[in-house]
Amino acid sequence: MDYFFEGIIGFEVLGKQRPDVLSAVDEHQKRIETEILNSCMHDLEDSNLPGASADGVKFLLFDITMDSPVIVFPVQYRSPQHLRFDLERIHIANKHRGKIETFKDCARYVQWYNNCSIDFHGLRLLSWSGKQLNISKDPKITHYNAESKNESRIPVKLSLKWPVGPSAHTIVPKWEIHCLIDSIR
């Protein structure tokens, strides 16, 4: 109810003018772009480029570990069939890095990126009947046991990178995603 009142009818009921949020965002983006383009006229050291001081960037670091998680995804809505991801461990962590970028072929600035890595250790992919869908016999990457085929586990690594801070809107495409997974048979 709070959302409905505040977000939809609150301004009209209270007799106030609804703020134009989009024009404020556009003005902010133009101000950032102007600041970056002004650096074009000066030969700045890398440490003095716009964005180098990380003003307006909020850094949130996380390091999360989950031991023995089980993730269940339904195959279809209202169906008992599912895929089960049985893992030894999931580790999710990030770090922030700055990189010198170029805007409109002349202005250099420092863009900050959030780099997140998600490591799935010891993945077993199971069907709804309990049959293992990923079996690897490569001893370098798995805990394969010839007597017990259901102990075959593989590693999966997912890397994500996205721009953060006031100049993030100048970066296209926004996301960079890499995934390394062993073969599933």
Side-chain angles (χ1 to χ4, degrees):
M1 192 62 177
D2 225 10
Y3 168 77
F4 178 73
F5 182 77
E6 288 294 327
I8 298 174
I9 64 169
F11 285 100
E12 288 75 10
V13 169
L14 296 173
K16 296 180 183 176
Q17 182 68 29
R18 183 176 302 278
D20 188 3
V21 177
L22 293 179
S23 68
V25 169
D26 288 342
E27 287 177 27
H28 176 71
Q29 289 179 347
K30 287 178 185 171
R31 186 181 58 75
I32 296 297
E33 291 174 9
T34 302
E35 181 183 318
I36 292 170
L37 287 171
N38 285 341
S39 72
C40 217
M41 302 183 189
H42 310 289
D43 191 21
L44 299 174
E45 298 284 327
D46 289 352
S47 61
N48 293 328
L49 288 174
S53 65
D55 287 341
V57 180
K58 305 228 186 288
F59 295 108
L60 171 68
L61 294 176
F62 51 85
D63 191 346
I64 303 166
T65 301
M66 292 179 263
D67 292 324
S68 302
V70 174
I71 302 169
V72 178
F73 288 112
V75 173
Q76 183 180 359
Y77 177 67
R78 298 180 70 186
S79 167
Q81 299 172 342
H82 61 274
L83 291 176
R84 178 178 153 187
F85 292 79
D86 182 10
L87 297 136
E88 290 175 354
R89 182 169 47 113
I90 296 177
H91 183 241
I92 305 169
N94 76 329
K95 58 187 171 196
H96 292 85
R97 296 279 185 257
K99 180 181 172 191
I100 297 176
E101 299 282 357
T102 304
F103 183 67
K104 296 195 177 177
D105 295 329
C106 75
R108 296 179 335 132
Y109 67 102
V110 176
Q111 175 59 56
W112 291 90
Y113 291 92
N114 192 345
N115 300 276
C116 178
S117 66
I118 304 171
D119 295 313
F120 299 96
H121 299 275
L123 169 68
R124 282 189 334 151
L125 180 59
L126 302 154
S127 71
W128 56 91
S129 66
K131 180 182 177 194
Q132 186 167 353
L133 302 176
N134 65 317
I135 297 175
S136 176
K137 296 181 182 178
D138 187 349
K140 291 182 261 177
I141 63 164
T142 187
H143 305 292
Y144 182 74
N145 182 342
E147 294 97 37
S148 175
K149 289 185 179 176
N150 65 351
E151 285 302 313
S152 179
R153 295 179 178 264
I154 61 171
V156 176
K157 182 173 179 68
L158 185 63
S159 300
L160 308 166
K161 176 179 152 185
W162 65 92
V164 294
S167 57
H169 70 278
T170 64
I171 302 297
V172 176
K174 294 281 182 225
W175 292 85
E176 186 177 314
I177 302 171
H178 299 280
C179 184
L180 175 64
I181 185 170
D182 186 51
S183 62
I184 296 177
R185 296 177 210 152

